[in-house]
Amino acid sequence: MQMIKLITVASFVRAGVAVSVRRPLYNSPSILGAKYETVLLTRCFATVGSKEIIEEDDEMHRKHYAITGVGQRSKVTCNTNTNHTLEADVPKKMGGGDEAPQPVEHLLAALVGCTQATAVYVGRMMKPRLIIEKIDFNIEAYRDERGALSLPITELPTIPARLQSVSGSVVVHFKNGVEVSEEQLRILGQQTEARCPVANMMHASGCIMDIQWKNGADIH
């Protein structure tokens, strides 16, 4: 069975100089031929004196998003500038009305949607092309609730509130049952996770991304 597990880490930049981080990038040395790889962040986050300067991207390459929202009690209704409506709530045991998905569930849904769209693009750009018929996702995540609930409220929590781990499987079904090698599947998974904005943001936060990419033709 073809199965690729991707675990990536973020790196940092200080004073305009890229600082490399040599950490495990993939859990299997057989994938890259090396257990460790140097990671560099190419967009510069510089510190000059007390000022933090973020290198400006070329305006023509920026993709903009906009959203407005109105919240009442624990529920919020949001409208995007692309004419879509999203709602979020929390379960009743958390003081909510349980009338819509939780915000973190929206985050995981965003990861799934972003991965789907990015994988289709990456597959089409590969040579030879990999045309994806469908992808089956099974994703789980966890966080430490103390990051959000710790008291007293006037003190910053010592535990991060972010997701600590996202794991699961991505089963890719290719059109017309085309044969896909383990190397092609590796490239598809690697490039998708690197190019998906949501996955990239999760990686940069320090969240452990433990996603297994599988070929649907091998699933019986």
Side-chain angles (χ1 to χ4, degrees), residues 9-181:
V9 297
S11 62
F12 302 90
V13 177
R14 288 291 183 270
V17 179
V19 179
S20 63
V21 178
R22 190 171 182 270
R23 295 182 180 177
L25 184 61
Y26 295 90
N27 73 323
S28 173
S30 63
I31 297 176
L32 291 179
K35 192 173 183 179
Y36 295 87
E37 178 168 307
T38 298
V39 182
L40 286 176
L41 187 65
T42 56
R43 281 299 170 189
C44 183
F45 183 97
T47 300
V48 180
S50 61
K51 294 183 179 180
E52 294 179 343
I53 303 173
I54 300 176
E55 180 182 324
E56 291 292 336
D57 291 328
D58 190 333
E59 181 68 25
M60 66 179 292
H61 295 297
R62 292 181 182 176
K63 182 174 175 60
H64 293 270
Y65 304 87
I67 191 168
T68 59
V70 176
Q72 291 183 315
R73 297 182 65 83
S74 63
K75 183 180 177 182
V76 64
T77 300
C78 301
N79 294 295
T80 71
N81 64 335
T82 52
N83 298 318
H84 295 286
T85 299
L86 302 171
E87 291 186 331
D89 200 350
V90 295
K92 292 182 179 179
K93 66 179 181 180
M94 296 173 62
D98 199 20
E99 296 181 1
Q102 300 176 70
V104 173
E105 291 171 332
H106 276 289
L107 176 61
L108 295 179
L111 173 64
V112 169
C114 188
T115 300
Q116 171 76 30
T118 306
V120 169
Y121 168 76
V122 171
R124 286 177 176 170
M125 293 299 107
M126 291 176 65
K127 295 182 180 180
R129 283 188 172 191
L130 298 181
I131 305 302
I132 296 174
E133 184 173 278
K134 72 169 184 173
I135 301 179
D136 295 324
F137 296 89
N138 188 353
I139 303 297
E140 297 182 357
Y142 72 81
R143 63 183 176 88
D144 190 322
E145 287 188 319
R146 290 175 295 179
L149 303 179
S150 65
L151 297 174
I153 204 68
T154 54
E155 295 182 8
L156 292 175
T158 58
I159 297 173
R162 60 164 170 77
L163 289 179
Q164 295 188 349
S165 174
V166 175
S167 61
S169 63
V170 175
V171 181
V172 188
H173 301 266
F174 298 95
K175 193 172 182 179
N176 300 325
V178 63
E179 291 188 9
V180 175
S181 69

Side-chain angles (χ1 to χ4, degrees), residues 1-3 215-220:
M1 177 184 295
Q2 297 180 27
M3 182 173 67
N215 189 339
D218 296 331
I219 306 298
H220 302 290

